[in-house]
């Protein structure tokens, strides 16, 4: 790679080649997985380029296309699967400088991809009392473009489903990587070409997202003697259409007391919990429902004293993958899985898996709407011992009807598709004919003959040299 020639071509743009900074900006939260930590530890780019506008993005892509230099886009680097890590080196295209919230209207917001999700919500709340429908637990640090390209759902999915559901992204503006890059406006079914595609087939330069009414959500923790009691409560609460919630998260003992250090004073050892966010106007109904269901309110932000609230993270930072992060801070041997408990048998499946790995896998559910039905995803905490045992735990989940979206793989397909996404692949052929965008993340491009049934981990040839 002729990096010196590229630097000349990009004169006037913000470019960083300090080795330590380049390495830092070449990483995400891949280390949640001991397998990815081993495989990706050495990965680094050659240069960080931080465009401030779509015109600068086009300039970078055109120059890199001419010189045959790979480009890996990066938002805030809060992903967990190596999505934003440059497996072939080259340019890490940081979109963190493109942060403008361009317009806010009834039901929609238009912004640049580097805008931090919490900042978007601050702007939309101030403007018109609205907020984004969905956000990850990394709300305060994640960018909207990174969430769309690397995420799948999160806080708010109990009402609106996932990012790939129609209507949860309205429009994307995307730049292709060709000799003369094109700017494409994608809407409707065309959005599926680039949502959750890790930037393998185009660089997002503008985002239009739907908004919903905003509330000063009330954080609550409900305690239970057993995890299944918490799970049944979460499922029943999710089905209460008159009680507006934004988060319903059952977590099995011993995790809450052991890992939620700042909330520990509200919890008992051996107690399972359900973390909930409730709209203020629904609070009385929620409390009545919880009394009827036998739950114990162990923490309520509505009545907690300023002293009790001091230093507490928000409820969503106990949920989704922040649960894993809090566990890892206490016990570095912890890792996690991502599973689906399909409707309508979700509670039976949850109970079956809960019994199967005592002391080794600690259940953690997130209730969501999935194809219009209430069900739950699992992000169980796993005490990691060996890769073989982790594979066995995955196999046992799948043999028992619980599909795994494997967070210990860095490719699109192995993370959950288990097959080629023909739409994304066809669009990559059109938008990135030289295969220079985020190489190594799309198996169908790197190895069209790959057998997805082989159960072998795909290893990108660019990593083997490392």
């Amino acid at each position: 790679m002729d990096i010196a020639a590229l630097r000349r071509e990009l004169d006037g743009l913000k470019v960083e080649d300090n080795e330590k900074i380049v390495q830092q900006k070449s990483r995400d939260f891949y280390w949640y997985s001991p397998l990815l930590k081993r495989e990706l530890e050495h990965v680094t780019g050659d240069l960080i380029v931080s465009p401030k506008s779509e015109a600068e993005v086009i300039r970078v892509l055109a120059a890199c296309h001419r010189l045959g230099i790979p480009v890996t886009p990066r938002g805030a680097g809060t992903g967990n699967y190596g999505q934003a890590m440059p497996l072939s080196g080259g340019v890490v295209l940081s979109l963190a400088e493109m942060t403008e919230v361009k317009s806010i209207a009834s039901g929609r917001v238009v912004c640049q991809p580097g805008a931090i999700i919490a900042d978007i919500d601050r702007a939309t709340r101030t403007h018109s009392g609205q907020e984004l429908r969905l956000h990850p637990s990394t709300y305060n640090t994640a960018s909207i473009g990174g969430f769309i390209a690397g995420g799948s759902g999160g806080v708010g999915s109990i009402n609106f489903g996932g990012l790939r559901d129609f209507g949860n992204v309205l429009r994307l503006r995307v730049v292709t990587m060709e000799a003369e890059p094109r700017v494409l406006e994608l809407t409707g079914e065309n959005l599926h070409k680039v949502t959750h595609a890790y930037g393998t087939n185009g660089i997002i330069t503008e985002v239009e997202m739907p908004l919903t009414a905003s509330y000063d959500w009330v954080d609550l923790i409900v305690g239970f003697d057993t995890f299944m009691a918490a799970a049944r409560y979460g499922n029943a609460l999710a089905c209460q259409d008159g009680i507006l919630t934004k988060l319903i998260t059952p977590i099995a003992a011993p995790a809450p007391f052991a890992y939620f250090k700042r909330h520990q004073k509200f919890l008992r050892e051996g107690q399972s919990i359900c973390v909930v966010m409730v709209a203020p106007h629904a609070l009385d109904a929620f409390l009545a429902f919880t009394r009827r269901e036998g739950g114990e309110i162990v923490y309520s932000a509505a009545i907690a004293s300023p002293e009790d609230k001091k230093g507490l993270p928000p409820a969503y930072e106990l949920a989704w993958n922040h649960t894993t992060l809090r566990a890892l801070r206490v016990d570095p041997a912890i890792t996690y899985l991502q599973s689906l408990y399909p409707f309508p048998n979700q509670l039976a499946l949850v109970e079956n898996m809960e019994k199967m790995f005592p002391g080794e896998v600690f259940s953690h559910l997130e209730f969501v709407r999935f194809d219009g039905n209430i069900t739950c995803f699992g992000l169980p905490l796993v005490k990691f011992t060996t890769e073989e045992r982790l594979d066995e735990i995955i196999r046992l989940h799948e043999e028992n009807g619980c599909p795994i979206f494997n967070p210990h793989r860095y490719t699109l397909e192995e993370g959950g598709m288990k097959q080629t996404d023909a739409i994304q692949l066809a669009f990559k052929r059109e938008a990135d004919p030289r295969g220079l965008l985020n190489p190594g993340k799309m198996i169908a491009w790197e190895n069209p003959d790959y057998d997805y049934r082989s159960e072998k981990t795909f290893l990108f040839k660019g990593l083997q040299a490392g």
Side-chain angles (χ1 to χ4, degrees), residues 287-410:
L287 294 173
F289 171 82
T290 300
R291 281 192 297 271
R292 191 184 78 185
E293 296 295 313
E296 176 192 356
I297 305 289
V298 297
Y299 173 77
S300 169
I303 58 173
S305 68
E307 187 60 34
D308 273 345
K309 289 183 182 179
K310 191 175 180 181
L312 289 184
Y316 56 78
E317 288 188 3
L318 302 177
W320 292 89
N321 243 330
H322 257 76
T323 311
T324 314
L325 178 60
R326 294 193 182 281
L328 272 165
R329 284 174 175 168
V330 176
D331 183 355
I334 290 288
T335 188
Y336 74 113
L337 291 173
Q338 298 178 145
S339 58
L340 171 66
Y341 301 97
F343 177 87
N345 302 314
Q346 63 268 24
L347 289 177
L349 292 166
V350 166
E351 187 164 22
N352 190 23
M353 302 319 297
E354 165 72 4
K355 292 174 181 174
M356 197 168 287
F357 311 104
E360 185 180 22
V361 178
F362 308 123
S363 295
H364 162 204
L365 306 178
E366 297 290 348
F367 278 92
V368 299
R369 286 192 182 273
F370 192 81
D371 291 336
N373 297 306
I374 295 293
T375 191
C376 49
F377 286 113
L379 287 90
L381 303 174
V382 180
K383 279 194 176 275
F384 180 76
T385 50
T386 65
E387 184 173 351
E388 292 73 23
R389 177 57 178 162
L390 188 63
D391 286 342
E392 186 177 18
I393 293 170
I394 291 170
R395 178 178 58 77
L396 287 167
H397 274 79
E398 298 200 319
E399 285 178 359
N400 283 275
C402 304
I404 291 287
F405 308 93
N406 195 337
H408 304 281
R409 304 285 186 266
Y410 54 78

Side-chain angles (χ1 to χ4, degrees), residues 11 15 48 115-116 137 144 223 313 394:
D11 184 50
V15 174
I48 309 295
I116 299 301
S137 63
I144 190 67
I394 291 170

Side-chain angles (χ1 to χ4, degrees), residues 26-43 72-73 79-89 149-151 196-200 336 338 387 390-391 394 404-419 424 428 437-447 450 452 456-466:
S26 296
R27 298 184 166 204
D28 60 14
F29 284 69
Y30 71 102
W31 46 266
Y32 274 37
S33 163
L35 279 56
L36 293 182
K37 191 173 191 302
R38 181 191 68 210
E39 291 175 10
L40 304 183
E41 187 75 8
H42 66 280
V43 167
T72 300
N80 305 114
Y81 327 121
Q83 300 108 307
M85 296 182 69
L87 304 188
S88 292
H196 202 69
Y198 300 179
T200 54
Y336 74 113
Q338 298 178 145
E387 184 173 351
L390 188 63
D391 286 342
I394 291 170
I404 291 287
F405 308 93
N406 195 337
H408 304 281
R409 304 285 186 266
Y410 54 78
T411 61
L412 284 164
E413 294 93 338
E414 290 172 302
M417 293 179 191
K418 311 287 175 66
Q419 59 186 1
Q424 288 183 340
K428 183 171 178 71
L437 280 176
N438 208 351
K441 306 294 171 56
M442 186 184 281
I443 296 175
W445 178 271
E446 309 295 341
N447 180 6
Y450 183 78
Y452 295 102
K456 291 179 182 173
T457 303
F458 174 79
L459 185 63
F460 176 50
K461 59 184 181 295
L463 283 179
Q464 292 169 2

